[in-house]
């Protein structure tokens, strides 16, 4: 279900609409939960400048979500014709985000590959991770945290599955470590930058929230030929149900490759989770 401004065929600047997804499932026995998702910011000038981030923060807070998730790609694709913005400035612009259950994040592939500090240190350090460590935004690098919402649930984060693929690396994600502290059968929501992990059919997570694809950035009657996924359009955008599990893929906010979206405008994603009949 989609709300907000009318769909614009071509979009070159980040003026996101609000996209709403409702998940009603009898297995969710906790109180209703609303999650705002800010995926793929790719902050840079002129396409998604800090002034746009400030407007996005204001719009997100106005939605009054219970929880805010940022599933990676804070920084810009270095192949984009744009001027990058330091991670510390991006995180500072996100600092006013407010939600009762807090704000949490994972890193995306561009946060690793296009981070100058990471490349200079052989990927031993990361400017986004270090900026987040100095902020109130909780980074979940293959880790989990229990959130007090009704009886409580676990929020689990895994690192990027594609961060170092150009070096032949199988991925920085470690689901075993991420779920290590989660009790068997406990309600869990997984945040993973790339949606492809959903194909692993990991039943430990009732819901997975991802970004990365930008909805394909080009959407031609639901044909999304530029989707960066091994599964193409299967996990390109929206609410996907498989094997009794749910996946939400946000269309994101920024741009990669080219600063253009065709019938796939930037979005703030709002997920409403409730018990259904």
């Amino acid at each position: 279900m989609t709300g907000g401004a009318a769909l614009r065929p071509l979009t070159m600047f980040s003026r996101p609409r609000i996209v709403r997804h409702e998940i009603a499932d009898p297995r969710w026995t906790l109180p209703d939960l609303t999650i705002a998702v800010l995926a793929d910011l790719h902050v840079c000038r002129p396409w998604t400048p800090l002034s746009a981030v400030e407007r996005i923060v204001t719009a997100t807070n106005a939605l009054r979500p219970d929880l805010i998730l940022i599933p990676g790609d804070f920084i810009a694709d270095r192949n984009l014709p744009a001027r990058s913005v330091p991670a510390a400035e991006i995180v500072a612009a996100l600092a006013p985000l407010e939600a009762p259950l807090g704000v949490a994040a994972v890193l995306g592939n561009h946060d690793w590959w296009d981070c100058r500090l990471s490349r200079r240190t052989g990927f031993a350090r990361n400017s986004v991770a270090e900026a987040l460590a100095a902020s109130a935004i909780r980074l979940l690098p293959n880790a989990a945290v229990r959130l007090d919402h009704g009886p409580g649930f676990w929020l689990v984060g895994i690192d990027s599955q594609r961060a170092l693929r150009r070096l032949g690396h199988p991925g920085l994600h470690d689901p075993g470590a991420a779920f290590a502290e989660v009790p068997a059968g406990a309600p869990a929501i997984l945040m993973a930058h790339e949606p492809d992990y959903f194909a692993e059919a990991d039943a430990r997570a009732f819901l997975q929230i991802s970004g990365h694809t930008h909805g394909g950035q080009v959407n031609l009657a639901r044909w999304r030929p530029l989707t960066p996924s091994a599964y193409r359009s299967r996990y390109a955008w929206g609410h996907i149900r498989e094997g009794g599990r749910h996946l939400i893929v946000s269309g994101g906010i920024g741009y990669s490759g080219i600063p253009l979206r065709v019938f796939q405008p930037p979005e703030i994603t709002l997920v409403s989770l409730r018990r259904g009949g």
Side-chain angles (χ1 to χ4, degrees), residues 38 41 53 57 70 74 89-97 103 137:
L38 303 179
L41 290 160
V53 175
V57 166
I70 309 175
F74 292 74
E89 295 183 21
I90 298 170
V91 173
L94 294 168
L97 286 169
V103 184
I137 299 174

Side-chain angles (χ1 to χ4, degrees), residues 14 36-45 47-50 52-53 56-57 68-78 80 82-95 97 103-116 126-141 158-160 191-194 211-212 214 252-256:
S14 285
V37 183
L38 303 179
D40 303 288
L41 290 160
H42 289 295
V43 180
C44 61
R45 297 183 295 271
W47 314 117
T48 312
L50 289 173
V53 175
I56 289 164
V57 166
I68 299 173
L69 300 182
I70 309 175
D73 277 358
F74 292 74
I75 64 178
D77 177 354
R78 60 195 172 100
L80 195 69
R83 288 170 288 172
S84 62
V85 175
E89 295 183 21
I90 298 170
V91 173
L94 294 168
L97 286 169
V103 184
V106 293
L107 298 185
N109 57 309
H110 287 284
D111 293 326
W112 283 106
W113 190 254
D114 296 319
C115 170
R116 293 191 182 113
N126 182 274
S127 65
V128 179
E130 293 182 9
L132 290 172
S135 79
I137 299 174
R138 186 192 299 267
L139 179 64
L140 294 174
I158 58 173
D159 211 332
S160 173
M191 177 170 44
H193 176 66
E194 297 94 345
H212 179 65
H214 302 193
I253 289 168
Y255 306 86
S256 184

